[in-house]
Amino acid sequence: CHPFLGCDRRSDSAPGRTNGVDRAVVRQDGGGAEPHENAVPASSELVNVQDSSAVESRLGVTLAEFNRAAALMEQYEYAKAALAFERVLEAEPNWTAAMHNRGIAYLHMAGENKDERRLGKTDEMAATAIEIFESVLALDSKHLHSMFCLGMLHAYLGNSETALHYFEVVYKEDD
């Protein structure tokens, strides 16, 4: 069982999400990938790229790394996943799905009891996760998944009033 997420490891039923991790959905006809919500950044966000094949190549590499990172999360390889999401964010720094998933990786590492499975100490992992989720909210103030994760982290850290704030916002905003 995880101290933040409990024992339930069922996958989210939404397309493109497995165990709470955003993934790109590959079309059945093999014709490329369809984004799930913010799974793939819009090509309009790619600045100063002249050649469309260069755009497709860069986006393909970034998408492949995103999916590799998501697969690492599914294998409970949170440190490796966090580093892979960092590489994705080097190419697409405002990709909120990659940011959020990186935050989830740090959240999980904060709950790990084996030092070799983390990138630092528990309190460092929790602080980094909080920073990441707050960065997501700076880009998307209605990102309910990040708000919920912040509530979970603050509850774990004993910051009950802050946790309650995030949970109340999620409760009010979630349909």
Side-chain angles (χ1 to χ4, degrees), residues 55-128:
V55 171
E56 290 175 14
S57 175
R58 184 177 123 197
L59 188 56
V61 168
T62 303
L63 178 61
E65 186 68 2
F66 180 93
N67 284 337
R68 188 177 87 70
L72 288 166
M73 294 272 285
E74 291 173 9
Q75 298 168 10
Y76 311 108
E77 295 287 346
Y78 303 117
K80 291 177 184 177
L83 296 173
F85 282 123
E86 286 177 23
R87 287 189 292 276
V88 169
L89 291 165
E90 288 173 6
E92 295 296 334
N94 294 325
W95 191 354
T96 57
M99 292 171 73
H100 177 76
N101 287 347
R102 181 172 169 250
I104 290 173
Y106 275 90
L107 182 148
H108 281 288
M109 284 188 287
E112 281 286 350
N113 58 2
K114 297 178 183 174
D115 288 343
E116 66 272 8
R117 295 187 53 87
R118 295 189 296 217
L119 296 175
K121 296 179 181 176
T122 297
D123 57 342
E124 293 169 351
M125 299 297 93
T128 300

Side-chain angles (χ1 to χ4, degrees), residues 7-83:
C7 296
D8 188 5
R9 298 274 187 197
R10 292 177 294 151
S11 358
D12 193 323
S13 61
R17 289 184 62 82
T18 305
N19 294 332
V21 178
D22 287 328
R23 300 221 30 204
V25 178
V26 178
R27 293 193 326 225
Q28 295 297 323
D29 63 6
E34 293 179 18
H36 174 259
E37 295 177 6
N38 289 327
V40 180
S43 60
S44 62
E45 295 176 6
L46 303 173
V47 181
N48 296 327
V49 179
Q50 301 292 328
D51 183 6
S52 65
S53 64
V55 171
E56 290 175 14
S57 175
R58 184 177 123 197
L59 188 56
V61 168
T62 303
L63 178 61
E65 186 68 2
F66 180 93
N67 284 337
R68 188 177 87 70
L72 288 166
M73 294 272 285
E74 291 173 9
Q75 298 168 10
Y76 311 108
E77 295 287 346
Y78 303 117
K80 291 177 184 177
L83 296 173

Side-chain angles (χ1 to χ4, degrees), residues 130 133-134 137 141-144 146-155 158-174:
I130 289 171
F133 293 129
E134 288 174 346
L137 292 177
S141 63
K142 299 283 185 184
H143 198 282
L144 298 181
S146 288
M147 283 186 208
F148 181 80
C149 289
L150 281 167
M152 297 287 285
L153 281 161
H154 283 289
N159 305 327
S160 300
E161 289 184 29
T162 304
L164 181 60
H165 163 75
Y166 284 113
F167 291 141
E168 286 176 339
V169 171
V170 170
Y171 178 76
K172 289 175 185 173
E173 296 291 327
D174 195 20

